């Protein structure tokens, strides 16, 4: 009777956070390591979980929002993948279909919901030497277009907006402005996702998300009104998979 209490049996491993509520997320295997217990990491071994947070509070705790049915890091990959609420990939959230190749060298993906209905498209823009060329594009069914632009090619106003939104992670992302990265920090490419409909003097109104490949993404306060969180997840993961992200 004086022994240790028997540990309660762990329930099934499923997503505990609804994708509609997320504002920050990471699909990197150890992207949220400072806010997840070792037991949860052990339970997710061999899986491709997506961790996320809501905009409420400043807690370091992250929760499971999805599981990806393909590898997120490693060799470059441009194929289809899906997001699910369970590690067995039986309960879908959304999917990116195999891309269609455009005449200009672009890749156009159709994004679908859990019922297979189209919720938008993602376009991987071919490489260009033009400084202000965007690299990815999101098209919504309502006709809105969101460009994923390299941070070096984005106006200073967006940098200032990003610093405010990402606080207290400003120091971490500040080291990435020149694309050099930091030891233990995010890898890959830093993008500002912008609605270009008004990209002149109202940068804070058009800036909807920032991401650093699959390591970290943050949707801004105005982002949810424009950007379906499923498209945000798919876009960030697709962009990360299109790079060679080396495991830490």
């Amino acid at each position: 009777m004086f022994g240790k209490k028997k540990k309660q049996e762990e329930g099934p491993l499923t997503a505990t956070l609804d994708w509609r509520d997320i504002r920050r997320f990471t699909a990197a295997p150890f992207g949220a390591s400072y806010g997840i217990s070792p037991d949860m990491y052990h339970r997710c071994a061999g899986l491709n979980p997506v961790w996320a947070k809501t905009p409420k509070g400043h807690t370091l705790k992250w929760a499971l929002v999805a599981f990806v049915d393909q590898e997120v890091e490693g060799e470059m990959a441009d194929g289809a993948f899906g997001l699910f609420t369970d590690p067995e990939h039986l309960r879908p959230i959304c999917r990116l279909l195999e891309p269609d190749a455009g005449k200009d060298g672009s890749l156009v993906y159709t994004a679908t919901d859990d019922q297979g209905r189209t919720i938008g498209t993602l376009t991987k823009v071919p490489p260009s030497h033009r400084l202000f060329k965007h690299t990815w594009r999101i098209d919504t069914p309502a006709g809105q277009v969101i460009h994923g632009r390299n941070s070096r090619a984005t106006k200073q106003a967006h940098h200032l907006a990003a610093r405010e939104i990402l606080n207290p992670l400003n120091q971490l992302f500040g080291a990435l402005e020149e694309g050099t990265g930091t030891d233990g920090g995010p890898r890959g490419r830093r993008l500002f996702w912008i609605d270009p409909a008004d990209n002149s003097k109202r940068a804070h109104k058009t800036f909807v998300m920032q991401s650093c490949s699959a390591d970290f993404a943050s949707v801004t306060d105005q982002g949810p009104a424009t950007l379906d969180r499923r498209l945000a997840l798919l876009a960030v993961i697709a962009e990360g998979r299109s790079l060679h992200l080396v495991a830490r």
Side-chain angles (χ1 to χ4, degrees), residues 192-213:
F192 287 154
W193 298 82
I194 300 161
D195 178 356
D198 182 2
N199 192 24
S200 53
K201 298 180 180 179
R202 297 170 55 201
H204 65 290
K205 296 293 185 182
T206 62
F207 179 35
V208 298
M209 181 172 67
Q210 176 174 275
S211 65
C212 188
S213 297

Side-chain angles (χ1 to χ4, degrees), residues 157-172:
H158 292 101
H159 283 276
L160 297 177
R163 287 188 177 280
E164 180 180 350
I165 292 164
L166 291 170
N167 183 45
L169 298 178
N170 293 340
Q171 183 177 3
L172 176 63

